Amino acid sequence: MYPNRDEEYDRMRKLAITIILDYNITMEDYPLDMDKLFKRMGINVVPYSAYAERPNFDLLLKRSKDGFNVPITKNQKPTIYFNDQYGCELTPARISSTKGHELKHICEEDKDDSDDKLCDYFSKYIRCPIPILLYLGIDSRQELISRFGVSDVQADIILTTVNRHKNKFGNKYYDYEYDINAISNYFKA
């Protein structure tokens, strides 16, 4: 039997909201400063440029063009390695997306990269929570990009998700998303 994708995406939204509430993410943190969040969570972050000399840099690129994680061990905190060296494709939005993607792997203790679509969804959601977008009435690509620091492509995907949500539920939230409304005073325009 195939997994229920709605349930899996629901799980990603719940995980993101739990992190937002548990680590007191406020409007001051948006665009979400992933490094600040990782510090709160006790996650190490290492840019590829820390290993700029060959052959170490080549080994990192061989592992992943964008980034990867090393889970927690008894001797080391979880660590996210990310590429900050690969030229014109590199943008702050892409780095933030990569970090969010790897955060999902760490939080769920994923053993492999078998479901990267869920990681990508989680990354977009934690950086642009739908209840916040609905609360702020954000419905344009440019506003989303400037307010939340996402790329053009990410903005289009997020707006499509928000519009699907609006078509199905209007401006209502899932039950577990109501908790985020308790902090909505932080999210005033």
Side-chain angles (χ1 to χ4, degrees):
M1 181 167 182
Y2 294 106
N4 183 333
R5 297 304 281 185
D6 288 342
E7 288 177 12
E8 291 176 333
Y9 287 104
D10 192 54
R11 191 177 83 246
M12 293 303 95
R13 289 187 295 271
K14 287 178 182 177
L15 176 60
I17 287 176
T18 298
I19 292 169
I20 289 167
L21 296 173
D22 287 353
Y23 292 95
N24 301 313
I25 296 172
T26 68
M27 194 59 211
E28 293 172 5
D29 297 310
Y30 284 94
L32 187 56
D33 183 337
M34 298 302 288
D35 291 337
K36 186 176 175 182
L37 174 60
F38 294 152
K39 187 174 184 176
R40 291 179 194 169
M41 295 179 78
I43 297 172
N44 291 325
V45 183
V46 180
Y48 282 13
S49 62
Y51 300 96
E53 294 182 16
R54 307 272 193 257
N56 292 334
F57 184 72
D58 292 334
L59 291 173
L60 293 170
L61 286 176
K62 189 173 183 177
R63 175 85 188 257
S64 173
K65 184 175 127 185
D66 289 310
F68 62 93
N69 73 84
V70 177
I72 191 170
T73 66
K74 76 176 187 178
N75 297 325
Q76 182 179 317
K77 295 180 192 179
T79 303
I80 292 174
Y81 293 85
F82 69 96
N83 193 346
D84 62 338
Q85 296 277 302
Y86 62 86
C88 66
E89 295 175 356
L90 181 65
T91 63
R94 185 164 181 160
I95 291 172
S96 182
S97 180
T98 296
K99 289 176 178 178
H101 176 108
E102 296 305 325
L103 176 59
K104 186 273 184 195
H105 283 307
I106 287 173
C107 288
E108 294 211 322
E109 299 177 353
D110 294 340
K111 303 293 183 214
D112 59 31
D113 294 335
S114 63
D115 210 345
D116 280 348
K117 287 184 180 184
L118 284 177
C119 294
D120 292 342
Y121 181 84
F122 169 82
S123 180
K124 287 179 204 67
Y125 192 94
I126 196 164
R127 293 178 306 122
C128 299
I130 290 175
I132 304 306
L133 302 178
L134 293 173
Y135 178 81
L136 293 173
I138 292 178
D139 58 4
S140 78
R141 170 201 268 192
Q142 201 53 43
E143 192 175 13
L144 189 57
I145 292 167
S146 65
R147 183 92 183 216
F148 290 89
V150 297
S151 70
D152 289 346
V153 172
Q154 292 166 350
D156 288 340
I157 294 167
I158 292 163
L159 287 173
T160 298
T161 302
V162 169
N163 288 332
R164 282 186 190 140
H165 180 93
K166 284 181 182 179
N167 289 339
K168 191 170 184 179
F169 303 108
N171 281 345
K172 295 180 181 174
Y173 310 117
Y174 292 103
D175 290 342
Y176 56 82
E177 290 177 320
Y178 279 106
D179 291 339
I180 208 167
N181 279 338
I183 61 170
S184 63
N185 287 335
Y186 293 116
F187 296 98
K188 289 190 176 170

